[in-house]
Amino acid sequence: MSVPDVIAIDGPSGAGKGTVARAVAQALDCRHIDTGAMYRAVAWRTLQQGRALDDEPAVAAVASGADFDLDGTRVAIDGHDVSRAIRTPEMDVAAAAVARLPRVRAALVARQRSLAVAGSVVMEGRDIGTTVFPEAPVKIYLDASPEERAARRAQDPAHRLSPGTGVAEVARALDARDRLDRTRRASPLEQAPDAVRIDTTGLPVDAVVRRVMKVVGERRQGARGS
Ligand code: DC
């Protein structure tokens, strides 16, 4: 079986995954899949159907049966455009809750694997290099200091808890969610042993993208040579 051409970009919230993954996909002229948006959309659809987020069979049914439309920054589930609705502090918490459920993860991982069949893809998330595509030729783990991650999130209007929420409060919410992602039993957030870690603290986006592109070039050349 051939190795899927996946560039896996993992890391905690606010590390810059979205911006960097989009830019890398554009530079490589390939698709970009934000798997966090899939967890968010599943949480949204479950609530919309009036089901509880800890009703694992109900959430897993949404995860395995929903029709996703992921196109750039547009996210639709079962025909509902949720691009904006899933980017709120409430949906931050709801997505982290469904992402803890093993049956939900299994369903979404299967769908994420099938998305790579159509060709090269930059896929961002928490477990892409460890669980979804452990054989991915390129794995990047983006990180940044907790202060910088919180400051980035606080600048994003969608993630302010309410008008006037300060960085300290955003930092507390981010920290709580990261702890959930790192300590859950099913595929916790962790760096794959063969991932290249890039600390984006204080780095402009184009510098991070250049580093990622260098790794892509090296790994692809290595894969051709072996
Ligand atoms: O990246 P994000 O903040 O949009 O992700 C939403 C939630 O989903 C977050 O709690 C982490 C979780 N997630 C995950 O567990 N695995 C992924 N591959 C992507 C996101």
Side-chain angles (χ1 to χ4, degrees):
M1 214 180 78
S2 65
V3 176
D5 190 19
V6 173
I7 290 146
I9 301 189
D10 291 301
S13 321
K17 296 187 300 292
T19 313
V20 170
R22 249 190 311 281
V24 170
Q26 198 171 18
L28 295 170
D29 193 22
C30 70
R31 288 167 306 147
H32 161 224
I33 307 241
D34 170 8
T35 61
M38 298 173 82
Y39 287 92
R40 288 172 182 272
V42 165
W44 181 91
R45 184 76 169 129
T46 303
L47 291 171
Q48 196 231 9
Q49 290 178 347
R51 310 301 292 260
L53 295 175
D54 61 357
D55 181 347
E56 188 164 4
V59 189
V62 172
S64 57
D67 175 26
F68 291 101
D69 185 1
L70 307 163
D71 177 18
T73 51
R74 181 175 178 273
V75 182
I77 184 164
D78 293 335
H80 303 273
D81 185 336
V82 294
S83 315
R84 284 168 71 93
I86 59 170
R87 310 278 172 202
T88 66
E90 293 74 24
M91 294 309 299
D92 288 351
V93 176
V98 301
R100 293 178 71 76
L101 305 173
R103 287 177 57 186
V104 175
R105 299 202 70 83
L108 287 188
V109 166
R111 302 191 68 165
Q112 289 152 11
R113 287 186 181 143
S114 69
L115 287 169
V117 173
S120 306
V121 62
V122 177
M123 201 174 280
E124 60 160 298
R126 303 291 190 291
D127 60 341
I128 310 304
T130 51
T131 304
V132 185
F133 293 106
E135 72 283 37
V138 184
K139 298 183 189 179
I140 307 288
Y141 188 89
L142 291 186
D143 211 345
S145 70
E147 296 76 21
E148 176 129 347
R149 296 194 292 110
R152 286 179 190 158
R153 273 292 149 110
Q155 276 172 6
D156 177 354
H159 286 277
R160 279 191 212 122
L161 297 170
S162 58
T165 308
V167 178
E169 209 165 319
V170 173
R172 263 194 300 279
L174 191 79
D175 185 55
R177 198 154 68 92
D178 275 353
R179 217 181 347 243
L180 278 181
D181 289 338
R182 288 183 207 276
T183 58
R184 65 172 178 236
R185 289 236 296 278
S187 303
L189 166 66
E190 60 183 353
Q191 181 178 342
D194 54 346
V196 175
R197 181 176 183 278
I198 301 176
D199 186 339
T200 68
T201 312
L203 278 184
V205 172
D206 57 343
V208 181
V209 173
R210 271 200 304 278
R211 284 199 199 178
V212 174
M213 292 303 291
K214 190 161 173 270
V215 177
V216 171
E218 289 164 358
R219 293 271 173 109
R220 282 184 164 173
Q221 203 165 28
R224 271 196 295 271
S226 62

